[in-house]
Amino acid sequence: MDSQIPNKAALEWIKAGYLFPEKVQITPEKTYGNSRFDLYVCSEKRKAFIEVKGVTLESDNIVRFPDAPTERGIKHLKELIHCMQEGYEAYLLLVIQMKGVDRFEPNWETHREFGETLQEAEKAGVHILAYDCLVEPDRMEIQDSVPVCLTSERK
């Protein structure tokens, strides 16, 4: 599986105007602080950092991220919170590489700290977005919004 496909799909989706209605300039792999975010988007109205995560782990129509502990993922979420504090918009775009799922949730069993940091990011104003995709042998296209559930059954 090509790990860059979600980033490419996200770039095309944003270029097509699905996330921002106005014309935007998009810069891939933009450095901010101690992180390099997948996309930086700016226009006369906004400046935003976007981190893209490909989601492939599914069970009973629920998709989860991460599929393995990710200190890098936690670092990116904390940097997105910092971006918000500095006046930027911040987005975590979860690109679900399949159709027919009911919801996204953090993988609490695999990496509880990631889920907790995701909750902190949402409270700080980071936009947590999840979209499914039409996946075909030669392309992947972002399509429909998927509900995001950040509550943990076990505390």
Side-chain angles (χ1 to χ4, degrees), residues 4-87:
Q4 289 302 306
I5 292 293
N7 291 17
K8 292 174 187 172
L11 179 63
E12 292 304 313
W13 184 72
I14 293 167
K15 276 184 182 177
Y18 289 107
L19 187 56
F20 304 112
E22 74 272 15
K23 183 176 169 65
V24 295
Q25 179 180 346
I26 306 167
T27 305
E29 300 295 322
K30 177 85 168 172
T31 300
Y32 175 86
N34 293 319
S35 291
R36 186 172 60 234
F37 291 111
D38 294 313
L39 301 169
Y40 174 72
V41 178
C42 64
S43 71
E44 291 181 10
K45 298 180 182 181
R46 64 177 22 113
K47 51 186 183 168
F49 283 100
I50 303 170
E51 182 62 18
V52 178
K53 299 292 184 201
V55 180
T56 58
L57 182 64
E58 179 270 336
S59 177
D60 297 324
N61 292 334
I62 299 169
V63 289
R64 293 178 177 90
F65 185 89
D67 57 4
T70 175
E71 293 305 318
R72 185 170 171 261
I74 289 172
K75 176 184 157 198
H76 282 145
L77 289 173
K78 289 182 177 179
E79 289 279 10
L80 286 173
I81 292 168
H82 190 256
C83 289
M84 294 288 304
Q85 295 166 344
E86 295 290 316

Side-chain angles (χ1 to χ4, degrees), residues 6 9-10 13 18 53-56 58 61 63 93-104 129-136 139-148:
W13 184 72
Y18 289 107
K53 299 292 184 201
V55 180
T56 58
E58 179 270 336
N61 292 334
V63 289
L93 179 58
L94 300 153
V95 177
I96 301 164
Q97 295 174 251
M98 64 193 80
K99 294 289 290 173
V101 300
D102 295 331
R103 71 178 182 271
F104 165 85
L129 307 176
Y131 283 83
D132 68 10
C133 292
L134 173 65
V135 180
E136 297 178 334
R139 70 185 186 109
M140 185 173 84
E141 178 183 300
I142 295 175
Q143 291 198 325
D144 300 312
S145 179
V146 171
V148 173

